[in-house]
């Protein structure tokens, strides 16, 4: 097993630090060589003359390779968007979305390239890993106004942020992290969290922490972090700090809504337009506010409009998950969210449709998608309708024709004819369908 080494990730420094394992206690980690390494991020501070030439020569080489493997939505960043500091670390303007992969660097430079990237685009930390010789990692970063969403993937490692690093550079943010693959542990503020897939955890960039990830199958660990400026949250800091480093399940409630939104942002980030950044950032901030206010028992501090929008999103997500259940009715939905049926209809008033109309529209869309999917060609129309909660075939036929101007059976046949002209495709025999084919 290769010897474990450490790197400190400062804003403009990726210096080769003392090669010793990270200690568990933070007080043992501030070595004499790391003291001048961090000083490079301050004005007028220069490393020792004997180390300066080696530092600049090596970091310039890594910088050129880093610049070649950082890209945006339209491909690699143009030269005008990437400059090099005196210490050789690339300063890249914050665009809509960044992609970075260590595979674009030589194996021996991947770990140092990762440390430099983390220090510049996230925050200064000290990283230790047994995979330094060949460090497979990737980062997708979305900038949505003042909100940042990052999705790093990396092998087993350990990360430390000390008080000294915080004094040098502090983004003054709350981070809400979602574990997607692997397991993670976090120590901050006197709390220790053992996190598994689907857990959410709150992290404070202004306080020291120690964390690590483990991938039992030897793969890559993945998390999604929502980085929120402190001023963006109306919840008092002293209340939030009580919940730092404590795992919260994303299986239901506002946590499930936030987790689903974060996954969608990372999945669809490359297809989003820059004009949508501010709106999506606002939605992310609102969902996080409702989630964190619920943790801190400070829901009343959240604006009424924000609470209503979050509740509507949560209800819609619940409806989409249970579309196939015929018993999905307004009373059942209200009971699942601990609100009255009257309040349920009230929060939907600004949606320009009733709860029942939303359910019907979603069911019809799912039915139409199945009718157009060749994988369901052998299914009767009535079977597809029943799959999505329509118990009455005739009522489904009428609803489908009213929504799309054509009966469902005829809709399916028109797609088959369009995609497979006569003689080119023999469709399996199916029972004769009347009107809508139900």
């Amino acid at each position: 097993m290769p010897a474990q080494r450490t790197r400190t990730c400062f804003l403009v420094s990726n210096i080769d630090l003392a090669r010793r394992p990270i200690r568990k206690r933070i007080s043992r980690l501030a070595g004499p060589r790391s003291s001048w390494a961090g000083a490079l991020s301050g004005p007028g501070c220069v490393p020792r003359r004997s180390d300066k030439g080696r530092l600049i020569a090596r970091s310039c080489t890594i910088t050129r390779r880093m610049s070649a493997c950082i890209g945006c939505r339209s491909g690699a960043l143009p030269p005008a968007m990437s400059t090099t500091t005196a210490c050789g670390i690339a300063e890249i303007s914050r665009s809509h979305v960044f992609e970075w992969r260590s595979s674009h660097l030589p194996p021996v430079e991947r770990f140092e390239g990762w440390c430099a990237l983390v220090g510049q685009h996230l925050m200064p930390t000290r990283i230790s890993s047994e995979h330094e010789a060949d460090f497979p990692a990737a980062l997708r970063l979305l900038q949505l106004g003042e909100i940042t969403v990052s999705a790093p993937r990396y092998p087993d490692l350990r990360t430390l942020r000390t008080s000294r690093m915080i004094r040098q550079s502090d983004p003054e943010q709350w981070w809400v992290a979602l574990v997607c693959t692997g397991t993670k542990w976090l120590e901050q503020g006197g709390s220790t969290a053992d996190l598994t897939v689907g857990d959410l955890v709150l992290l404070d960039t202004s306080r020291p922490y120690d964390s690590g990830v483990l991938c039992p199958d030897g793969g890559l660990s993945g998390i999604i972090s929502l980085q929120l400026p402190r001023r963006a949250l109306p919840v008092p800091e002293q209340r939030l700090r009580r919940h730092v480093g404590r795992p919260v399940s994303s299986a239901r409630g506002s946590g499930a809504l936030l987790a689903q939104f974060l996954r969608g942002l990372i999945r669809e980030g490359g297809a989003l337009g820059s004009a949508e950044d501010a709106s999506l950032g606002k939605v992310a901030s609102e969902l996080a506010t409702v989630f964190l206010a619920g943790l801190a028992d400070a829901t009343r501090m959240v604006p009424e409009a924000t609470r209503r929008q979050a509740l509507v999103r949560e209800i819609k997500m619940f409806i989409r998950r249970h579309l196939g259940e015929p018993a999905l009715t307004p009373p059942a939905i209200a009971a699942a969210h601990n609100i009255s049926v009257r309040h349920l209809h009230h929060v939907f008033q600004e949606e320009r449709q009733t709860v029942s109309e939303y359910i019907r529209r979603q069911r019809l869309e799912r039915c139409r998608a199945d009718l157009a999917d060749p994988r369901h060609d052998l299914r009767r129309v009535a079977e597809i309708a029943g799959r999505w909660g329509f118990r009455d075939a005739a009522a489904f036929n009428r609803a489908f024709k009213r929504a799309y101007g054509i009966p469902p059976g005829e809709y399916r046949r028109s797609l088959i004819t369009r995609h497979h002209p006569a003689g080119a495709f023999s469709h399996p025999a199916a029972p004769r369908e009347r009107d809508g084919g139900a």
Side-chain angles (χ1 to χ4, degrees), residues 50-113:
S50 60
D51 297 309
K52 186 176 180 180
R54 177 186 59 81
L55 163 65
I56 294 180
R58 181 155 180 76
S59 57
C60 282
T61 301
I62 294 176
T63 295
R64 287 194 295 270
R65 299 187 185 276
M66 282 179 61
S67 300
C69 63
I70 298 177
C72 61
R73 291 181 63 248
S74 57
L77 289 174
M81 296 181 67
S82 178
T83 59
T84 304
T85 66
C87 293
I89 302 301
E91 291 180 345
I92 301 172
S93 61
R94 301 186 73 81
S95 181
H96 169 71
V97 56
F98 287 121
E99 299 277 357
W100 187 91
R101 291 180 177 86
S102 65
S103 58
H104 295 158
L105 289 171
V108 295
E109 296 179 358
R110 291 172 182 174
F111 185 66
E112 292 189 40

Side-chain angles (χ1 to χ4, degrees), residues 228 233-235 253-255 257-258 283-299 302-311 313-314:
L228 300 155
L233 296 177
V235 184
S254 58
L257 193 62
L258 177 60
V283 173
S285 179
E286 289 175 350
L287 292 176
T289 296
V290 173
F291 169 69
L292 294 174
L295 285 183
D297 194 21
T299 304
V302 179
E304 175 63 29
T306 300
R307 280 184 285 166
R308 189 199 70 81
Q309 291 168 3
L311 178 59
R313 293 189 185 100
E314 185 176 342

Side-chain angles (χ1 to χ4, degrees), residues 63 143 166 174 177 241 264 273 291 357 363 380 382 406:
T63 295
Q143 191 67 37
I166 294 170
W174 295 106
R241 283 177 176 164
F291 169 69
E357 288 171 346
R363 283 174 169 169
R380 291 171 53 90
I406 184 174

